[in-house]
Amino acid sequence: MRRIVTILVFAVALGGTAGAQATACVAAPTALVLAGGGAKGFAHIGVIEMLDSLGLKPDYIVGTSVGAIMGALYASGYTGVQIDSLMHAFPMDRLLRRYEPSVSASLGVVRPIAVWEQARAGYILQSGAVREGEVNSVVSALMLRGNLLARGSFDSLPIPFRAIAADLATRSTVVLGSGDLGRAVRSSASLPVIFRPVRYQGGWLSDGGLADNVPVDAARALGAKRLWVSLLPYGGPNADALEDPMVMWLSLTSALFREDSVKAGPGDVVVTNPTKSVDNLDFSRETADSLIAMGRATAREAFGRASCLKTAGLARSMSVPRVVGEFQLTGADFVDAGSVIEELGLNSAGPITPTRLQAGLLKLGRSEKFRALWLNPKGHGDSVSFRLELETAPQKAFGVGVAFDQFMSGRLWVGGVNRSIFHGDAEGAAIARFGTYAQDASAFVRRRALLGNAYWPITVAAQVSHESVRLFEGAGELPSADVRQVGGFFGLREDPEPGHWQYEAGFAARLWREPAHDSRGAFGLETRLFRARNEYEMGSSIEATVLNDYQRIAFDLSALWGDDDWDVRVRTRAGWGNELPLQYTFPLGGLDGFAGLRLTELRGSQEAFSSVLLRRRLTSIVKWRLEVMTGAVSRGGGLMRKEDGTLYGRALTGFRAGFEASTPIGPIRLEEGFSDTGARAMLMRVGYWF
């Protein structure tokens, strides 16, 4: 009996020991798997922040689409908080937009309603949803740290990483673990229709969600025995918004994504973020912040239930290489190659300046001539070499635009650009504008030449024009004065770049004829500083024309403050001229005119004007607006000389009030204006006037 009891006690003890061993937390290779899902991917940042707070680091990271973006940043050594800061610095909502086609800044601040650009199969209609160059440069800038650390092998990152893309030809899964990190991530996040597929490693790659949106198989293939999975469920589009083509495209694309079911194994942690009600393209800051908080809360609950979170400890800290080795550039001609290298600040055997390199990538991304620049870094130790691969944008494009004003009638423009004339050594642009009261055509050829240590935009331009200048007297209108002109320019000319001051300076010559006057000609110097508010509106300009026959100095400065609901614009104009031709006199208020008066009703050789515009958003497309203004115009003979019985030289005040609605061709404005003279006039305008 004693012997039997002893055996039973040993058996119970052995069973208890075995059970204890079975439930012990054993370290295992662990992978963080981040699903695709557009803007919903901000929830991944919350999950990463939760891991940071727990002091946890996965051994591998595998991501699809937006999961590849967040995963690559995390694998590069950034914390969740730092990734959030990077998303602030590189806001995605600026890269995705409704249909906003663009021909070229060379044509000035004009808005096209349609653009065709040259492709291999001929001219195609531009999508206008994204700017490919901007998107690619932002991705490269975001991934710069990781790219320098990886130097071609994603296993060399602080945390080994894989990006998932889809082969367009076969729709098969492509696991990217080498090459340029920015290009790999861009391939994984190539949402069909919205983003162009990427030519990479011998094939055309598109969004990884088309093949494997939750890449658990790729994670296990890396050797992961335990998974931490962050899911972004998609609940379908808002039925009320399906009339929006962008929403419909997104709905159709999302339906193609393969939402593989996740079978959680022992020790796996699945974070199912409640994102079904979130729009895949809602990259607003408010939505991003709520998604990050959502990810933190969901991950806290999921990881709180986990019994074992011990990883194999493969993550490591690393420092960015500090020295440039060799570098070569493909895909660019001689002139472009020199300017690209200069922008990036690269010198063989010189130090790497990541901030300079990042700024150069972003600036090149704004260039219309290039579609992408991939660094393709290689090397070891403290040195990194680059095989810079430049992809050119479509070299030829043309577009059309329209505008309407009830005073000046309709306007139409047709313009195009060729960025590869003279075998790619120069660019040319031409635009013709037609309207009831003015018609003109202009063209230029520009070559960026190396002079000293800088590249200068040497430009030759020509213009012909015909304008019927409207003249008024009291309440009536006089016959229009027809002015014909030809002109030329030689000098330096930069394109408008929103938010940046640009310049134009050179020699100008003009020949024109006014009614009842002999033909007149003039030549001399012309200079201009300008800053565009956006692609369609000029913000501020300062100009001076000093010709032998007349002189003209003017400025038009404005500043804008506000948010999504309110904004305030303050504007000041002033101009002075001597012996000005009729077509160069100053209309009070410029292209917007003055409250209560007809457009161009008062024009002279001197002008002073200021206004304050207040706008408030009423709906997603409609704004209420109120503009208060004051100004005066004089026909010369002294500073603001008054002319009895007229409005010349008199300080006027007035205001306009009305509404503004956003449309695909620009704003529609409907306003009523009143001046202190008792005059009243309505302004109705469609589009941006040009």
Side-chain angles (χ1 to χ4, degrees), residues 560-563 565-569 613-616 623:
L560 183 68
W561 302 273
D563 53 29
D565 294 322
W566 290 88
D567 63 71
V568 178
R569 187 196 71 186
L613 170 65
L614 176 66
R615 295 189 297 187
R616 186 184 189 283
K623 291 181 179 180

Side-chain angles (χ1 to χ4, degrees), residues 18 114 117 124 176 181 265 449 522:
E117 55 188 17
I124 61 173
L176 301 172
L181 181 63

Side-chain angles (χ1 to χ4, degrees), residues 491-510:
L492 307 176
R493 176 182 291 177
E494 290 279 10
D495 291 337
E497 185 176 339
H500 297 268
W501 284 97
Q502 305 294 97
Y503 68 91
E504 176 181 314
F507 298 95
R510 296 189 177 98

Side-chain angles (χ1 to χ4, degrees), residues 366-682:
R366 294 191 296 269
S367 169
E368 299 171 350
K369 198 167 185 178
F370 312 126
R371 174 171 275 156
L373 174 65
W374 308 116
L375 299 177
N376 297 307
K378 296 283 185 182
H380 59 277
D382 204 30
S383 174
V384 58
S385 298
F386 299 97
R387 184 177 59 81
L388 305 170
E389 188 177 350
L390 196 65
E391 293 183 15
T392 57
Q395 298 299 288
K396 297 178 182 179
F398 69 93
V400 296
V402 296
F404 174 81
D405 184 287
Q406 96 272 23
F407 282 117
M408 305 300 290
S409 191
R411 292 276 279 167
L412 166 72
W413 67 263
V414 180
V417 61
N418 184 343
R419 304 181 180 97
S420 59
I421 62 176
F422 303 140
H423 305 289
D425 198 33
E427 65 176 325
I431 184 171
R433 301 181 294 185
F434 308 95
T436 303
Y437 296 98
Q439 308 85 40
D440 64 80
S442 60
F444 76 81
V445 175
R446 177 171 53 204
R447 181 181 186 272
R448 296 190 178 274
L450 180 62
L451 300 175
N453 296 320
Y455 287 86
W456 299 88
I458 297 178
T459 305
V460 178
Q463 181 186 43
V464 296
S465 65
H466 168 257
E467 182 176 359
S468 298
V469 181
R470 298 183 71 180
L471 304 174
F472 300 88
E473 183 175 318
E477 181 173 359
L478 302 175
S480 298
D482 286 338
V483 179
R484 292 173 172 81
Q485 176 177 281
V486 296
F489 173 87
F490 174 76
L492 307 176
R493 176 182 291 177
E494 290 279 10
D495 291 337
E497 185 176 339
H500 297 268
W501 284 97
Q502 305 294 97
Y503 68 91
E504 176 181 314
F507 298 95
R510 296 189 177 98
L511 179 66
W512 69 95
R513 184 180 180 85
E514 301 175 43
H517 289 81
D518 294 333
S519 296
R520 295 172 60 186
F523 64 91
L525 300 176
E526 189 172 62
T527 62
R528 183 170 175 245
L529 291 173
F530 54 92
R531 182 176 64 182
R533 179 176 297 115
N534 52 50
E535 294 177 78
Y536 319 117
E537 295 178 285
M538 184 59 67
S540 298
S541 65
I542 304 170
E543 57 186 82
T545 302
V546 182
L547 306 185
N548 66 309
D549 197 62
Y550 70 89
Q551 298 79 44
R552 187 179 192 271
I553 300 173
F555 67 80
D556 190 336
L557 306 176
S558 66
L560 183 68
W561 302 273
D563 53 29
D564 290 338
D565 294 322
W566 290 88
D567 63 71
V568 178
R569 187 196 71 186
V570 177
R571 181 183 179 208
T572 300
R573 284 172 51 92
W576 172 88
N578 177 47
E579 300 294 333
L580 289 181
L582 183 60
Q583 67 271 27
Y584 290 117
T585 54
F586 301 101
L588 182 60
L591 294 179
D592 272 359
F594 194 88
L597 305 182
R598 295 160 292 188
L599 289 182
T600 74
E601 181 172 345
L602 287 178
R603 61 189 308 154
S605 58
Q606 298 176 31
E607 180 201 13
F609 172 89
S610 62
S611 70
V612 177
L613 170 65
L614 176 66
R615 295 189 297 187
R616 186 184 189 283
R617 184 175 297 279
L618 300 179
T619 71
S620 60
I621 63 171
V622 178
K623 291 181 179 180
W624 167 83
R625 52 186 290 148
L626 171 66
E627 186 173 15
V628 180
M629 59 189 71
T630 183
V633 67
S634 168
R635 289 191 282 204
L639 186 63
M640 288 298 167
R641 182 176 64 87
K642 292 185 178 180
E643 298 182 29
D644 293 337
T646 72
L647 297 179
Y648 288 99
R650 173 180 170 179
L652 305 176
T653 59
F655 72 91
R656 282 197 189 114
F659 299 92
E660 173 184 318
S662 300
T663 75
I665 62 173
I668 295 178
R669 290 170 54 187
L670 184 61
E671 303 170 74
E672 189 73 16
F674 304 85
S675 77
D676 62 347
T677 64
R680 174 178 177 178
M682 176 179 287

